[in-house]
Amino acid sequence: MHLMLSRRRFLANATSAVVAGLVGAAESFAAEAPLETSTIRLAKIRGICIAPQYVAEELLHLEGFTDVRYVMAEAGYGQAKQIGRGDVDFSLNFAAPLVLAIDAGDPITLLAGVHPGCFELFGNESIRGITDLKGKTVGIQGLGSTPHVFVTSMAAYVGLDPQRDIRWVTDPSVRPMELFIKGKVDAFLGFPPEPQELRARNIGHVVVNSTIDRPWSQYFCCMLAGNADFVRNNPVATKRVLRAILRAADLCVAEPRRVARQIVDGGFTGNYDYALQTMSEVPYGKWREYDPEDTIRFYALRLHESDMIKSSPQEIIANGIDWRFLNEVKRELKT
């Protein structure tokens, strides 16, 4: 009864356009083959740019899943490794760490791009562009972490040698943002809600905003990845998970205030204002427009240039992607 009431509240709170889509979904998957499993495990991280994953729970129930679980994960490469190990079945994750994991042979299948534009490079007064990182300190959680991989990609793109030209600073006991605030590093890469907090406190300035700055704004940041064995053995469940998360991305566009409130109430973040800024700034609707393979090719090339992966972009694409489910869902949603 609680589940039925929760679904009713969810539908009542959604916009009419989203409701129409949900009704259509119910009609379409009624004719589909039955789910191979009714349990889905998704990752939960500190960042909130993967909000579609958090607000997809009721949509997943509507798709027939009765047990939706969130498993704590460390964003980036660690999160990708958890997918490969089967600790979680699916997660939105940043493109570059997923490329690293595929190159390492982890059984991961990329299913779709969901949105670009969630990271921002902050610098002090000595840094006005990416090339100014030469000889400077950049705070990161650790080598191979998401900030490390992304800043490496940006540095390689402008001709820097990330290993020699940048001094990477790690401190397991202090978050990189705190190192930046205290003036112990010259720059750091932030993900929501960190950029929103720094701007509110008027600390540092944005050197690169991947929502608006090319070429970063032209490629997906977060992509949906699944454990390769799960995807292979559970094609019906895989398609329904993808469909729910893409509909949740649409909900982020249509109802940013409601989504912000939902992820705060759900315990995924604590500050409603920062959550609302994130929902309003991140272009969640771009999954309909961008080609996810372009993103993989772009970041794989950057990482290959930096000697962080051995595989060529084409090898990464051949070994780690499956767009069949995305193409089916796009046809259903008439995009």
Side-chain angles (χ1 to χ4, degrees):
M1 178 64 69
H2 173 75
L3 179 59
M4 291 175 61
L5 291 173
S6 180
R7 291 179 185 175
R8 288 171 185 167
R9 283 196 296 270
F10 178 83
L11 291 170
N13 288 337
T15 63
S16 59
V18 174
V19 169
L22 295 176
V23 172
E27 293 173 351
S28 66
F29 70 67
E32 293 177 355
L35 284 169
E36 303 91 350
T37 176
S38 60
T39 299
I40 288 293
R41 295 167 304 163
L42 304 171
K44 177 181 179 180
I45 62 173
R46 189 169 60 234
I48 59 173
C49 59
I50 65 169
Q53 186 161 305
Y54 298 150
V55 299
E57 183 173 0
E58 286 302 329
L59 294 166
L60 288 165
H61 286 312
L62 289 169
E63 291 279 2
F65 297 100
T66 57
D67 185 4
V68 180
R69 306 176 189 177
Y70 289 93
V71 179
M72 285 302 302
E74 185 63 41
Y77 189 58
Q79 186 181 353
K81 300 294 282 188
Q82 285 184 274
I83 298 171
R85 289 196 304 265
D87 296 339
V88 296
D89 303 312
F90 297 93
S91 183
L92 293 180
N93 197 1
F94 313 118
L98 289 168
V99 170
L100 284 176
I102 293 170
D103 176 69
D106 293 320
I108 293 172
T109 300
L110 301 180
L111 300 168
V114 177
H115 68 80
C118 58
F119 66 86
E120 296 180 42
L121 178 65
F122 278 78
N124 59 25
E125 289 303 314
S126 70
I127 299 174
R128 292 295 169 179
I130 298 174
T131 55
D132 293 332
L133 293 176
K134 186 172 183 178
K136 299 300 195 305
T137 55
V138 177
I140 56 174
Q141 295 163 310
L143 297 178
S145 65
T146 294
H148 177 232
V149 175
F150 268 116
V151 176
T152 292
S153 300
M154 288 191 285
Y157 184 77
V158 299
L160 295 181
D161 183 334
Q163 297 184 35
R164 296 182 178 182
D165 293 337
I166 296 175
R167 290 184 288 158
W168 305 99
V169 177
T170 62
D171 187 335
S173 64
V174 182
R175 290 171 57 192
M177 186 177 76
E178 294 303 320
L179 293 176
F180 180 72
I181 292 173
K182 294 176 181 179
K184 295 183 177 182
V185 295
D186 299 307
F188 100 106
L189 194 76
F191 296 86
E194 292 173 331
Q196 288 73 25
E197 179 178 348
L198 286 182
R199 291 199 296 268
R201 296 170 63 180
N202 197 29
I203 296 175
H205 66 274
V206 177
V207 179
V208 175
N209 182 335
S210 64
T211 300
I212 57 177
D213 293 333
R214 292 173 178 260
W216 323 105
S217 61
Q218 305 304 300
Y219 299 99
F220 287 113
C221 177
C222 289
M223 306 188 75
L224 180 64
N227 175 270
D229 292 334
F230 186 102
V231 171
R232 181 173 55 255
N233 296 328
N234 304 280
V236 176
T238 296
K239 178 182 174 182
R240 294 194 187 187
V241 169
L242 173 60
R243 184 164 54 196
I245 287 180
L246 293 182
R247 289 187 180 280
D250 286 345
L251 195 61
C252 291
V253 176
E255 295 279 357
R257 294 181 179 278
R258 203 175 305 281
V259 168
R261 174 52 57 193
Q262 186 172 344
I263 64 175
V264 169
D265 292 346
F268 295 104
T269 191
N271 189 298
Y272 170 79
D273 290 334
Y274 297 162
L276 178 58
Q277 287 180 42
T278 301
M279 296 308 104
S280 302
E281 293 170 357
V282 175
Y284 289 105
K286 292 293 185 181
W287 71 265
R288 300 170 179 273
E289 303 175 24
Y290 287 8
D291 182 349
E293 197 160 306
D294 286 345
T295 294
I296 299 305
R297 187 177 295 106
F298 177 81
Y299 281 109
L301 182 58
R302 304 284 82 77
L303 296 176
H304 190 268
E305 292 171 341
S306 304
D307 293 324
M308 293 192 72
I309 63 172
K310 300 300 182 183
S311 305
S312 68
Q314 194 53 45
E315 288 172 325
I316 296 293
I317 291 170
N319 295 330
I321 63 96
D322 188 342
W323 310 135
R324 293 175 300 162
F325 303 101
L326 175 62
N327 293 334
E328 289 180 17
V329 172
K330 279 188 171 183
R331 285 194 295 270
E332 289 180 7
L333 301 182
K334 296 181 175 60
T335 61

